[in-house]
Amino acid sequence: MRHLSYADIVRRLNRPASTLSREVARNGAPARYRTELAQLATTHRAQLGSCPRTLRRDGAGSSFG
């Protein structure tokens, strides 16, 4: 397995460094990041969609009434 620096990875992907750092943080931090698990988690999050309960702090728009 090759260990590339973030700079090398973002250069190869032509993406901002912030995108990569968010992806890694969201999926287990550098020491625990696993591509297969990250893909499964991303697919799961995409299927869930956005949560309407968090639209407003005063409860308006909440699915709880």
Side-chain angles (χ1 to χ4, degrees), residues 6-20:
Y6 281 12
D8 289 335
I9 295 169
V10 298
R11 207 174 298 116
R12 288 178 183 209
L13 296 175
N14 195 29
R15 295 285 185 209
S18 60
T19 301
L20 178 62

Side-chain angles (χ1 to χ4, degrees), residues 11-59:
R11 207 174 298 116
R12 288 178 183 209
L13 296 175
N14 195 29
R15 295 285 185 209
S18 60
T19 301
L20 178 62
S21 62
R22 276 194 309 272
E23 168 73 11
V24 172
R26 183 182 297 126
N27 290 293
R32 297 184 308 145
Y33 186 87
R34 301 291 180 263
T35 55
E36 298 85 8
L37 294 177
Q39 183 61 49
L40 285 172
T42 299
T43 302
H44 182 71
R45 281 191 297 268
Q47 290 172 350
L48 290 176
S50 62
C51 181
R53 293 177 288 179
T54 59
L55 293 178
R56 290 180 51 182
R57 295 183 86 180
D58 65 1

